[in-house]
Structure formats: structure tokens, C-alpha cells
Amino acid sequence: MSLSFTKMHGLGNDFVVIDARQNDPALDTPTIRHLCDRRFGIGCDQLVLLTPPTLHGADVHVRFFNPDGSEAGACGNASRCVVKFVGGAPTLQTAAGLLPTARDGDLVTVDMGLPRLDWQDVPLSQACDTLHLPLPTPLDAAACSMGNPHATIFGDASRAEALGAGLEQNALFPERANIGFAQILSPTHMRLRVWERGAGLTLACGSGACAAVVNAVRRGLTKRTCTVTMDGGDLRITWRADGHILMTGPAVTVFHGTTA
Ligand SMILES: N[C@H](CCC[C@H](N)C(=O)O)C(=O)O
């Protein structure tokens, strides 16, 4: 069965977007893993499936899948791409909730909702404020959820390749976790690299950028509005006084295609 798809990216975090609003292709896990494979399939960091909304107020239902076939509750860069794909400023229905959006030229803003700060909502396997992780040198680390689990390790951003895979699977994270490595450059600017759960090191991670700012603000390391510089480029993150997190950045359509 051939599938139509659109290849998109947000700061080099790339996606295969499948519009299933008219007909559901019933993608099983092996098919998802095949489509995400950069050698045997199309290749992407996440596969994004659009289906008709089921909640009042939503314009489209969006699901995110990692290349290992696992489903993610949030995907910030992909959410911006869906806004561009659908057009206008749709409200996205995701596992993390209803996400209102806005456009300003080529930039897209997604209200990523409220972070989940309680250890049981991340989730963690035990209550802890500072994460006790096997790091070569003692570094501060905090966790929260954006609808998906994120740990942020404060120090330098260069350790993602060396430490990411082991930390992703650490027993502290019963559902595994996305691991952000943050270097604070100023109260309004950080460098971030993210080893993503089920995907590995990516060029950018939108929900990871949101989590890193939340964790940095909680530690008194940055202000509530912060530029997050990742390998693929910058996102503007604001943790609003009402608790909502706004993420602003680009979304790019690369090509449209059909599988064989
Ligand atoms: N690239 C995505 C994050 C994917 C998260 C996924 N790896 C998970 O299992 O939570 C972003 O821009 O937020």
C-alpha cells in the first residue's frame, strides 16, 4: 500500500507527516519503524500522524512516534510543523492536551501547556528534587514532563553523545526519558543538546527546550523568557506567569512524496 507523506523539519529535527484525516492507513509498529528508518525507509526523527479531532475545540488530532516505534506524548518541533502543514493557527489535540497556536510570518508559536513538575507525573521511580544519575562529575539535574519525560543536566552541552543512551534507560525513569544537556550562557540564553528517548541525539528538541527552561527557572539559572540555542538553531521559550509555556520557532516543508 503506497502512502503519501510530507517531509518537514523544525531546526533540523525532522519528521514524516502522514495526513490520515480522510482515511486511516492503520500503521502498525513495524511499519512505523520502517518508515522512520533512514536506510530502508523514508527516514526521520519522528513520524507524525494526523487524524480527525475527537475533542471539542480541537482542529486536528496529532500523534507522534519515535523511530523505535514508541509513542511520544509531546513533540514541540513537530507541533510547529503540523501548524504549517494544516495552515492558519489550528488548535492541536495531543496526548499532552489541547495546544493553541499562532503564526507570525515564518515563525510558529505553540502553547505547549503546563509542565508537570511532580515526580510521579514525569514519571520518576522515586521522589527527588535533584536527580541522582551516574555522571562522570557531579552535576545538577532536574526533571519535568511536557507530556513526555525530560531530564535536564546542567553543565556543558558536549556530553550528549557519550552519556545520552545510558541515561535514557536509567532506572530513575520508568518510561525512559529524553535527556537534555544544558549550558547556561546568560540569564536569557542557554545552549542545549538533547538525547531523545527512542530517537537518539537530534539537532533540536522543542519539548526538551521547554523542559530545560522550566528546570533552569526552577533552579534560578535563567529568566522565564529564554533563547535556547541547539545544534539546529534557536527557539524562543517563555514560561508565562500563568504557567503555560510558549515555544516559538520555524517550521519547514522539505518535500512531498509517496512510498512505493
Ligand atoms: N523532537 C521532539 C521530542 C520528541 C520526544 C520523544 N523522543 C519522546 O519519546 O518523548 C520535540 O521537538 O519536542
Side-chain angles (χ1 to χ4, degrees), residues 5-17 50 77-87 103 106 108 249-257:
F5 65 89
T6 299
K7 189 72 175 20
M8 304 186 78
H9 76 83
L11 301 178
N13 185 203
D14 67 332
F15 310 106
V16 168
V17 179
L50 308 185
N77 288 320
S79 295
R80 295 197 315 277
C81 288
V82 171
V83 172
K84 173 145 188 180
F85 181 92
V86 168
R103 305 283 291 269
D106 288 338
V108 179
V252 176
T253 302
V254 183
F255 64 88
H256 303 283

Side-chain angles (χ1 to χ4, degrees), residues 135-149:
L135 297 168
T137 55
L139 292 172
D140 187 17
C144 70
S145 169
M146 291 300 305
N148 57 345

Side-chain angles (χ1 to χ4, degrees), residues 162-205:
L163 301 175
L167 294 173
E168 172 194 348
Q169 312 274 351
N170 189 278
L172 185 58
F173 309 118
E175 295 178 8
R176 299 185 291 164
N178 299 282
I179 312 295
F181 297 81
Q183 178 182 4
I184 306 301
L185 302 174
S186 83
T188 57
H189 190 195
M190 72 165 71
R191 178 88 171 84
L192 180 73
R193 302 179 80 217
V194 181
W195 179 275
E196 289 197 20
R197 176 181 63 171
L201 187 68
T202 61
L203 293 179
C205 182

